[in-house]
Amino acid sequence: GVTPDGATVIVADGRDSLSVPGDFDLLHGDFSRDGGDLVVVAPDGARLTVADYFDSESPPDLVTANGATLSADLVTRLAGPVAPGQYAQLATDAGGVEAIGTVDSVEGAVYATRADGTRVLLQAGDAVFQGDIIETGAEGRIALVFIDGTTLSMADDARMVLDELIYDASSGVGSMVLTAVTGLFALVSGDIAAVNPGAATINTPVATIGVRGTSILFRIGPDGDLTVTLREDGDGTVGEIEITGAFGAVVLNQIGEVRTQGAADQEPVVVRLDEAAIFGLFGGDLAREILQSAYDAQARFIEEQIEDTVPEAGGDANDTGDMSGDRLTAEYQEAGLDEGVDTNTGGTGDDTLDGGTGNDTTGNDTTGDPDGDTLGGGDTVFIESPQQFTGGGGDDVFTGGAAGDTID
């Protein structure tokens, strides 16, 4: 029905889904609660009330005229909690909640609505949390970096819900669920998608995107129409994505493939386009810029991880110069750091420097030959017990040798 002030009212009457009026802009609407009713106000001021929505045992999904669907869980999140601010206080009293990522860069106005209903203007360096709703204005854009190294950029009236991120840094095991409602997005996957195939998913109004260790560019139009394309990762590798909707699953694993779907009841189409056509389809320079911002955010994340992980002078026992077994080896190599030139000054015994070239500085260490330390010219070794050094050539310096050392 329609109220005297022109608002549309529909009743949640136990159905699994409710269709909203055809001209109502549901995806860009402002969602709120009025007692047990759901109230949605569109950008043009049109008002929709779903009576008894939150009093229903199982609230219905909301569906637009072309089949774009907002799930009941998503609608509930967009409407916010019953008592805004209450959950934040409880979380603080319990010691706070852990961030799942940070803001790498931001331009214009970009807001986060927390799980407790608090709305904050985001700045570079701010934390983001599970349950946050991230929204950009028409001129706003943002790049996020998550704790597993995944990066996400968004712009063009974008709205994204950070549903879930679980990650164990020691093993790489984890899962990620995001829900994109509208806007332009670029995502560069991190450890979760690389180590856990099928564990990183993005829900959209017409399909679900499964990310398998790759980078993607995608846009959700004002009616929920979805356009997706695969991109190279920063290191040049190409993974794949699986897009699942009412017409089954489509896998993209080639650069240049673009999947488009105009409505939920329209069969998706996959075409191959050149670079100019792809970026034209996604908005030209804006698409290039947000994709690059996602790449840049991940590059900075990797650089910070390297700085935190490279052994420093005075390392503890069992520091290892050869990082060939480490999971970050590829990132080290990209940064120009190989296994060859290690400096571990004052290691407390049994440090292993496998492959270090001249000028390694070690204390009570074993380098190279396990049966007798072998040193090249210019190495400095502090000897605390009888040792045998064979073949040291030119200008080796042996300090503090105890009786019984043999220098050949």
Side-chain angles (χ1 to χ4, degrees):
V2 179
T3 64
D5 61 359
T8 299
V9 179
I10 55 179
V11 179
D13 55 3
R15 287 176 289 176
D16 292 335
S17 63
L18 286 176
S19 296
V20 303
D23 58 350
F24 187 80
D25 188 356
L26 179 69
L27 302 188
H28 291 93
D30 179 26
F31 291 68
S32 62
R33 297 171 182 260
D34 182 8
D37 298 345
L38 168 68
V39 178
V40 188
V41 179
D44 63 0
R47 184 182 178 94
L48 171 70
T49 297
V50 183
D52 302 325
Y53 186 86
F54 297 106
D55 292 335
S56 303
E57 183 176 347
S58 298
D61 300 339
L62 299 184
V63 185
T64 67
N66 72 339
T69 300
L70 301 187
S71 70
D73 180 65
L74 175 59
V75 170
T76 301
R77 285 178 180 267
L78 294 175
V82 175
Q86 176 177 336
Y87 301 118
Q89 183 63 46
L90 291 174
T92 301
D93 291 344
V97 292
E98 292 186 6
I100 61 170
T102 58
V103 177
D104 179 80
S105 62
V106 63
E107 295 182 28
V110 180
Y111 292 89
T113 303
R114 308 299 191 191
D116 74 312
T118 304
R119 193 166 188 253
V120 297
L121 179 67
L122 291 174
Q123 305 291 337
D126 286 351
V128 293
F129 301 90
Q130 186 164 293
D132 281 359
I133 303 168
I134 311 298
E135 296 171 289
T136 75
E139 303 300 323
R141 65 180 73 176
I142 192 169
L144 305 175
V145 57
F146 297 105
I147 55 176
D148 75 314
T150 298
T151 56
L152 170 72
S153 294
M154 48 192 285
D156 197 21
D157 275 328
R159 176 184 276 178
M160 170 76 82
V161 182
L162 312 182
D163 295 298
E164 177 185 272
L165 193 152
I166 300 170
Y167 178 61
D168 179 358
S170 63
S171 64
V173 173
S175 61
M176 171 185 284
V177 180
L178 307 174
T179 298
V181 183
T182 59
L184 177 64
F185 305 87
L187 182 137
V188 179
S189 63
D191 257 7
I192 289 176
V195 178
N196 311 269
T201 59
I202 304 169
N203 299 315
T204 79
V206 297
T208 297
I209 305 170
V211 183
R212 300 175 179 174
T214 194
S215 303
I216 62 173
L217 187 65
F218 66 102
R219 178 189 286 280
I220 300 171
D223 296 322
D225 48 295
L226 175 66
T227 306
V228 188
T229 191
L230 187 69
R231 306 301 302 168
E232 291 182 348
D233 283 338
D235 61 1
T237 61
V238 178
E240 66 179 25
I241 53 177
E242 183 176 72
I243 307 149
T244 305
F247 291 88
V250 173
V251 174
L252 302 185
N253 53 24
Q254 300 292 324
I255 298 299
E257 292 179 332
V258 180
R259 179 196 183 273
T260 61
Q261 184 172 4
D265 59 357
Q266 294 180 1
E267 188 168 359
V269 176
V270 177
V271 297
R272 290 188 63 87
L273 300 174
D274 61 23
E275 287 290 281
I278 288 173
F279 283 104
L281 187 64
F282 282 92
D285 288 342
L286 178 61
R288 294 180 188 275
E289 289 165 7
I290 72 156
L291 180 60
Q292 189 60 51
S293 69
Y295 286 143
D296 291 344
Q298 188 173 79
R300 281 188 285 270
F301 174 83
I302 292 170
E303 183 178 356
E304 290 171 2
Q305 296 299 300
I306 291 171
E307 291 174 354
D308 291 341
T309 308
V310 172
E312 298 180 356
D316 292 332
N318 302 313
D319 292 329
T320 302
D322 180 357
M323 296 177 289
S324 59
D326 290 354
R327 293 174 59 238
L328 285 177
T329 295
E331 287 92 341
Y332 276 81
Q333 291 173 342
E334 288 174 17
L337 299 175
D338 60 25
E339 298 91 344
V341 184
D342 303 307
T343 302
N344 290 311
T345 303
T348 57
D350 298 319
D351 293 326
T352 303
L353 298 170
D354 182 2
T357 58
N359 301 316
D360 292 325
T361 304
T362 63
N364 190 26
D365 299 317
T366 304
T367 59
D369 181 0
D371 296 325
D373 294 326
T374 302
L375 299 137
D379 292 323
T380 302
V381 174
F382 302 90
I383 305 167
E384 298 179 3
S385 61
Q387 302 286 338
Q388 180 177 357
F389 300 91
T390 304
D395 297 322
D396 290 326
V397 179
F398 300 92
T399 304
D405 291 333
T406 301
I407 300 173
D408 184 5

